[in-house]
């Protein structure tokens, strides 16, 4: 082999070595860049999870569950009968009022006769129908405060007797307190209303309502089975009675 050829070969070999070194360097840069990106994403994810967990903890900490609430803290029970009626209602809902007028006395009699335990779930799905005052939440929170004061049903009935029109401002807090005084509730009730003690709890009840697959009020459930009238309408007192009798066996 001539000296010229040997020189060219050595030069070619050096170029190959240099190319291999450069490729190895690029691989190292790529690897460390990838590691850095993964680390950043991991840190961001951990920070995000920490924020979420902190917010969830704070939200949970902000929920004051009435001590008298049943069904995982989402309802107020009347009666001790073997058949359970769950009524999901919104105090702004006119059809809920109609159901109460139509079936309320029947339910009360079944409670007296110890045939049923009725559980009232006060949800807030019509907050948008009160011109920004969130009447559904406020009235349900006031009902919870009334339950703590031992006057749930009395206050429940007073709210329906004074039900505002849908898409109105709803009753003021002062009026809610006035209704409470009318059924024998005092300062603790008034403080809970003005302090919105149970408003966050109403959100929990409403979320539970949705999680159970319901989306309209009133929703009536007997021993875990939703009861409706013809074509999915609100059940009448007669339909409800038959459902209770069937559940009782």
């Amino acid at each position: 082999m001539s000296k010229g050829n040997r020189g060219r070969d050595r030069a070619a070999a050096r170029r190959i070595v240099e190319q291999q070194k450069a490729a190895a360097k690029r691989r190292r840069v790529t690897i460390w860049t990838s590691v850095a990106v993964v680390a950043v994403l991991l840190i961001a994810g951990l920070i995000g999870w920490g924020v979420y967990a902190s917010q969830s903890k704070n939200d949970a900490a902000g929920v004051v569950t009435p001590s008298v609430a049943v069904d995982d803290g989402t309802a107020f029970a009347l009666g001790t009968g073997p058949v359970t009626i769950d009524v999901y209602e919104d105090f702004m809902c006119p059809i809920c009022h109609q159901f109460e007028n139509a079936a309320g006395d029947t339910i009360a009699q079944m409670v007296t006769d110890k045939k049923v335990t009725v559980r009232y779930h006060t949800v807030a799905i019509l907050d948008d129908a009160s011109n920004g005052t969130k009447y559904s939440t406020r009235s349900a929170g006031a009902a919870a405060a009334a339950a703590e004061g031992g006057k749930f049903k009395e206050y429940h009935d007073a709210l329906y007797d004074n039900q505002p029109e849908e898409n109105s401002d709803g009753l003021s807090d002062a009026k809610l307190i006035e209704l409470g005084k009318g059924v024998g509730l005092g300062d603790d009730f008034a403080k809970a209303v003005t302090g919105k003690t149970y408003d966050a709890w109403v959100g929990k009840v409403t979320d539970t309502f949705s999680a159970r697959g319901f989306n309209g009020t009133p929703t009536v459930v007997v021993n875990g089975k939703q009861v409706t009238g013809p074509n999915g309408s609100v059940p009448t007192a007669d339909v409800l009675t038959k459902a209770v009798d069937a559940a009782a066996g």
Side-chain angles (χ1 to χ4, degrees), residues 89-240:
E89 57 186 354
D90 185 315
F91 289 117
M92 179 61 98
C93 168
I95 301 177
C96 293
H97 192 185
Q98 292 172 18
F99 173 75
E100 179 63 27
N101 286 339
D105 289 344
T106 298
I107 293 174
Q109 188 60 54
M110 288 192 286
V111 168
T112 299
D113 294 341
K114 297 183 179 181
K115 294 178 64 176
V116 303
T117 298
V118 57
R119 303 190 299 196
Y120 291 95
H121 305 254
T122 56
V123 304
I125 62 173
L126 292 175
D127 268 344
D128 291 341
S130 56
N131 299 326
T133 74
K134 295 187 176 180
Y135 177 69
S136 294
T137 290
R138 292 188 297 109
S139 56
E148 281 290 78
K151 297 286 186 179
F152 172 75
K153 191 57 167 63
E154 294 88 343
Y155 193 72
H156 169 279
D157 293 348
L159 286 174
Y160 278 129
D161 288 342
N162 294 270
Q163 187 182 55
E165 291 185 2
E166 195 172 357
N167 296 313
S168 71
D169 290 347
L171 305 180
S172 66
D173 285 353
K175 182 63 176 179
L176 291 174
I177 292 170
E178 180 186 321
L179 292 179
K181 289 180 178 179
V183 299
L185 293 163
D187 291 342
D188 288 344
F189 168 79
K191 290 176 182 177
V193 172
T194 57
K196 303 188 183 305
T197 301
Y198 299 108
D199 284 14
W201 170 81
V202 176
K204 172 188 172 182
V205 176
T206 306
D207 288 345
T208 300
F209 167 75
S210 178
R212 290 177 177 176
F214 306 130
N215 56 23
T217 54
T219 291
V220 182
V221 179
V222 174
N223 274 12
K225 182 179 180 180
Q226 187 172 356
V227 178
T228 61
N231 300 315
S233 61
V234 176
T236 62
D238 184 55
V239 168
L240 180 60

Side-chain angles (χ1 to χ4, degrees), residues 10-93:
R10 285 196 295 271
R14 285 196 297 271
R15 285 196 298 273
I16 292 172
V17 170
E18 292 299 324
Q19 289 171 355
Q20 290 174 341
K21 289 180 178 179
K25 183 178 180 180
R26 286 195 296 271
R27 285 196 296 272
R28 287 196 297 271
V29 170
T30 299
I31 290 170
W32 283 110
T33 299
S34 299
V35 169
V37 170
V38 170
V40 169
L41 291 174
L42 179 60
I43 292 170
L46 291 173
I47 292 173
W49 170 252
V51 171
Y52 172 78
S54 177
Q55 289 175 339
S56 297
K57 182 177 179 181
N58 290 336
D59 289 344
V63 174
V64 179
T65 300
S67 63
V68 294
V70 300
D71 190 22
D72 294 328
T74 66
F76 304 111
L78 297 176
T80 57
V83 176
T84 300
I85 302 175
D86 287 287
V87 179
Y88 297 85
E89 57 186 354
D90 185 315
F91 289 117
M92 179 61 98
C93 168

